[in-house]
Amino acid sequence: MKNYLIAGASSGIGRGVAKMLSDDNTTIILVAREEEKLKRVQEELSGDSIVISCDVTNNEDIKRVFDKLETEKIKLDGLVYCAGMCFLKTLKMMKSSDLENMFRVNVFGFYEMCRYFSKVSVSNKNASIVGISSYAAVTKEAGLSAYAMSKGALDIQVQALSKEFLRRKIRINSVVPARVKSKMDSDNNDWTDEEIALVNEKHPLGIIPIDDVVKAIGFLMSDDARHITGECLCISSGYHS
């Protein structure tokens, strides 16, 4: 029996990962802010699952998640951190609170979850962690400085923590996609023709379907990737500015 925690499981990539990993031999721990959305995802799963509402910017909330798992004697075999936020703001428009909030969600929440995951009482040996980064950290486009900085920090975190996790043979990697057809924090993914045309100009291989990112995560979580750790797997779609 495998136990996987998916942070940011209420929509988009997180929802897709939960569905991919769910089967009769797994328990999926669904974590996000909105409990009702998590319950709707739970109805789509084939195996056992647990819903835990959590604001990843709140360390007490994160502690509560792992306290619950320890109380129920659930040890994790994997963590996928899909929680994230993104906005477009130039330096002149950026407030210090904007930057702080970006890092709380995209960096600090992941770091805190990894800290708990490192405990012997929380995770099994040979477990796997995947964080969702962004190709914005590579392209460094104008207006995305905060987002690019936060995702770059996540990638460096993965590379550094991989060395700390080696003792227990826990692997940690990130997936670094360019533009994915998923509107963050949106209930639907309907795109206008204008949006699609603009993105396609920069992505010769097309907008990346959510399923393609989910498959890459599935590979990194699997035994097929047992020798891969500390890596940032880019899905660029041929991006050019």
Side-chain angles (χ1 to χ4, degrees):
M1 192 75 175
K2 299 284 189 180
N3 302 308
Y4 300 109
L5 190 156
I6 316 297
S10 59
S11 62
I13 295 171
R15 171 176 169 265
V17 171
K19 291 173 68 176
M20 173 195 65
L21 292 175
S22 177
D23 60 35
D24 292 339
N25 296 312
T26 64
T27 297
I28 307 296
I29 296 90
L30 301 165
V31 173
R33 288 176 300 175
E34 298 185 49
E35 187 172 341
E36 287 306 312
K37 285 186 177 182
L38 290 175
K39 286 181 178 178
R40 291 201 290 271
V41 174
Q42 187 177 35
E43 292 173 357
E44 300 177 304
L45 305 184
S46 56
D48 292 335
S49 59
I50 299 171
V51 165
I52 309 177
S53 62
C54 171
D55 179 352
V56 297
T57 68
N58 185 324
N59 285 353
E60 285 302 312
D61 263 18
I62 293 175
K63 180 179 183 298
R64 181 170 52 80
V65 170
F66 287 95
D67 283 348
K68 180 177 177 64
L69 296 181
E70 287 197 67
T71 298
E72 298 191 14
K73 294 182 171 54
I74 296 173
K75 292 186 71 172
L76 297 173
D77 298 285
L79 162 66
V80 183
Y81 190 86
C82 302
M85 70 180 302
C86 177
F87 53 73
L88 183 71
K89 279 192 179 182
T90 62
L91 180 63
K92 289 184 179 180
M93 298 295 293
M94 187 74 66
K95 298 178 181 178
S96 59
S97 58
D98 294 329
L99 188 61
E100 289 169 5
N101 287 336
M102 184 77 78
F103 270 76
R104 284 195 185 102
V105 176
N106 293 354
V107 184
F108 302 151
F110 184 42
Y111 195 88
E112 190 70 5
M113 285 199 165
C114 287
R115 187 172 71 82
Y116 280 102
F117 197 92
S118 67
K119 295 182 178 181
V120 174
S121 59
V122 169
S123 60
N124 290 314
K125 187 178 177 182
N126 297 313
S128 179
I129 301 171
V130 176
I132 309 307
S133 181
S134 169
Y135 207 65
V138 178
T139 61
K140 306 173 182 69
E141 291 187 70
L144 284 173
S145 59
Y147 186 61
M149 288 162 59
S150 69
K151 291 303 187 178
L154 184 150
D155 288 334
I156 292 171
Q157 174 181 327
V158 161
Q159 293 164 344
L161 291 184
S162 67
K163 298 175 176 64
E164 297 187 27
F165 280 120
L166 284 176
R167 182 177 58 84
R168 297 189 57 221
K169 296 186 178 180
I170 292 174
R171 297 179 297 105
I172 179 170
N173 298 283
S174 67
V175 172
V176 189
R179 193 64 182 268
V180 179
K181 195 171 184 182
S182 173
K183 291 191 174 181
M184 198 173 291
D185 294 328
S186 175
D187 287 332
N188 67 74
N189 290 310
D190 294 335
W191 288 37
T192 65
D193 291 340
E194 290 78 12
E195 286 177 315
I196 292 172
L198 182 62
V199 175
N200 279 338
E201 283 181 10
K202 294 185 176 183
H203 297 71
L205 299 182
I207 302 170
I208 302 164
I210 290 176
D211 283 350
D212 285 14
V213 181
V214 169
K215 289 173 185 175
I217 295 166
F219 166 68
L220 290 174
M221 294 291 288
S222 74
D223 288 341
D224 290 338
R226 59 188 174 277
H227 298 297
I228 300 175
T229 192
E231 300 297 335
C232 305
L233 176 60
C234 290
I235 309 174
S236 70
S237 199
Y239 178 94
H240 64 85
S241 58

